[in-house]
């Protein structure tokens, strides 16, 4: 792979992907609102087409999401994500002088027709609209690293508490390390005949409680006590925290996504890429 354009290149996954590609000798065109630390930065926002500077890249990996970072006006953020993905995909198909770049869309395990959170709903709608032959969709599970970044940071914080409220006992948490994810993304980009959909995460799903325990184990701490709690009071508390602290993503958005999360069959996708994931509780 000679060159790659990455939207959201200044973010958690985008930055990791850009670093790996650059280490492999691939030219990285980093598309984002704020300057990226890796690659050639091109100022870009969701809703913009593929920049002319990217017309000859081998692949476009779309990671940017407005609904992931929105604190309010979530409907507008979802609409922007859907419209923006469509604009970017169409402009990618028009690039390459008859040989358009491969388009890889990073979706989410929360993407489903029954998604309760805005992020999952938008990802599912975008998936259905991407119909070009050279398009691949990736649904990762819980993406984690060794620094407690992104959504995994919430698990890190909860694992430090003496007790944790438990609203679901379903086995639906499927972790994947960010370095493993970006390795899979590059394999999808370079595959001769990629699948339409890749589901990536631990083959055996974990319960929320088990994921918190494993998170504590990664740092050598004792696991907190899990206390079953009805969903309604937790949602009310999340609403209060969101109003006071205005985190991104909001606690309510994360909670809605977690409760409705559906387990994925990941063994086939991992085997197709020749990848075996390391155990979640083992820290690098």
């Amino acid at each position: 792979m000679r060159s790659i354009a990455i939207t959201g290149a200044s973010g958690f996954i985008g930055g990791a992907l850009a670093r790996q590609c650059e280490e492999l000798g691939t030219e990285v065109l980093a598309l984002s609102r704020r300057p990226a630390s890796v690659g050639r930065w091109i100022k870009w926002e969701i809703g913009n087409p593929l920049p002319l500077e990217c017309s000859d890249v081998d692949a476009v990996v779309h990671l940017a999401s407005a609904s992931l970072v929105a604190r309010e006006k979530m409907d507008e953020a979802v609409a922007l994500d859907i419209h923006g993905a469509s604009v970017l995909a169409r402009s990618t198909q028009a690039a390459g002088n008859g040989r358009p770049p491969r388009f890889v869309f990073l979706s989410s395990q929360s993407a489903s027709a029954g998604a309760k959170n805005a992020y999952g709903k938008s990802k599912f709608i975008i998936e259905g609209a991407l119909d070009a032959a050279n398009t691949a969709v990736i649904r990762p599970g819980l993406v984690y690293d060794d620094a407690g970044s992104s959504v995994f940071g919430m698990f890190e914080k909860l694992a430090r508490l003496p007790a944790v409220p438990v609203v679901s006992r379903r086995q639906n948490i499927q972790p994947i390390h960010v370095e493993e994810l970006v390795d899979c993304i590059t394999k999808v980009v370079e595959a001769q005949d990629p699948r339409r959909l890749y589901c990536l995460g631990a083959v055996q799903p974990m319960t929320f409680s088990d994921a918190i325990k494993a998170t504590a184990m990664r740092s050598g701490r004792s696991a907190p006590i899990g206390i079953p709690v009805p969903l309604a009071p937790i949602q009310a508390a999340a609403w209060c925290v969101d109003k006071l602290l205005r985190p991104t993503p909001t606690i309510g958005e994360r909670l809605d996504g977690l409760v409705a999360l559906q387990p994925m069959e990941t063994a086939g996708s991992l085997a197709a890429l020749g990848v075996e994931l390391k155990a979640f509780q083992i820290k690098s």
Side-chain angles (χ1 to χ4, degrees):
M1 179 171 54
R2 296 178 299 103
S3 58
I4 185 172
I6 304 170
T7 73
S10 60
F12 171 47
I13 298 173
L17 177 60
R19 287 190 294 273
Q20 184 184 90
C21 288
E22 198 165 73
E23 289 172 2
L24 294 173
T26 300
E27 180 187 8
V28 174
L29 283 77
L31 311 184
S32 57
R33 291 182 300 168
R34 62 180 188 271
S37 59
V38 180
R40 174 188 170 195
W41 177 56
I42 299 174
K43 187 174 178 56
W44 178 91
E45 296 185 0
I46 298 173
N48 292 349
L50 187 70
L52 291 177
E53 299 95 319
C54 303
S55 59
D56 292 327
V57 298
D58 297 312
V60 175
V61 179
H62 184 32
L63 305 175
S65 171
S67 57
L68 181 62
V69 297
R71 292 191 180 98
E72 53 191 20
K73 297 182 179 179
M74 188 61 75
D75 289 345
E76 293 182 12
V78 167
L80 178 59
D81 277 340
I82 295 170
H83 171 71
S86 176
V87 170
L88 184 65
R90 289 200 308 269
S91 59
T92 298
Q93 292 305 308
N97 295 318
R99 297 184 62 186
R102 175 160 296 164
F103 189 82
V104 178
F105 173 63
L106 192 79
S107 185
S108 167
Q109 184 183 351
S110 64
S112 73
K116 299 299 183 183
N117 61 332
Y119 183 68
K121 292 175 183 177
S122 67
K123 292 291 189 181
F124 185 72
I125 293 171
I126 293 169
E127 285 184 7
L130 297 175
D131 56 4
N134 64 333
T135 296
V137 173
I138 296 175
R139 288 183 182 175
L142 174 66
V143 183
Y144 69 97
D145 66 355
D146 297 330
S149 303
S150 191
V151 176
F152 176 63
M154 179 181 70
F155 282 73
E156 281 277 10
K157 291 181 176 66
L158 290 173
R160 297 177 184 274
L161 300 175
V164 174
V166 177
V167 297
S168 172
R169 295 186 179 277
R170 298 173 62 228
Q171 292 180 312
N172 58 2
I173 308 295
Q174 294 173 267
I176 180 170
H177 195 280
V178 66
E179 292 180 1
E180 295 172 324
L181 176 57
V182 299
D183 181 51
C184 288
I185 293 173
T186 57
K187 289 179 182 293
V188 171
V189 167
E190 296 175 339
Q192 289 188 347
D193 186 21
R195 293 184 170 200
R196 172 67 174 75
L197 174 65
Y198 293 86
C199 295
L200 303 175
V203 173
Q204 178 58 51
M206 311 170 73
T207 65
F208 174 77
S209 295
D210 287 340
I212 293 295
K213 290 177 183 177
T215 301
M217 289 176 59
R218 284 171 52 80
S219 300
R221 297 190 301 271
S222 298
I225 299 171
I227 302 176
V229 177
L231 179 60
I234 298 299
Q235 289 176 319
W239 183 87
C240 293
V241 172
D242 289 338
K243 288 296 183 181
L244 290 172
L245 303 181
R246 298 171 58 82
T248 54
T250 65
I251 303 299
E253 173 78 1
R254 292 174 177 176
L255 180 62
D256 289 343
L258 175 64
V259 171
L261 207 59
Q262 298 296 318
M264 304 182 293
E265 193 289 307
T266 62
S269 295
L270 294 170
L273 297 174
V275 173
E276 183 175 346
L277 303 183
K278 61 188 176 185
F280 173 48
Q281 66 268 28
I282 299 174
K283 195 166 186 176
S284 300

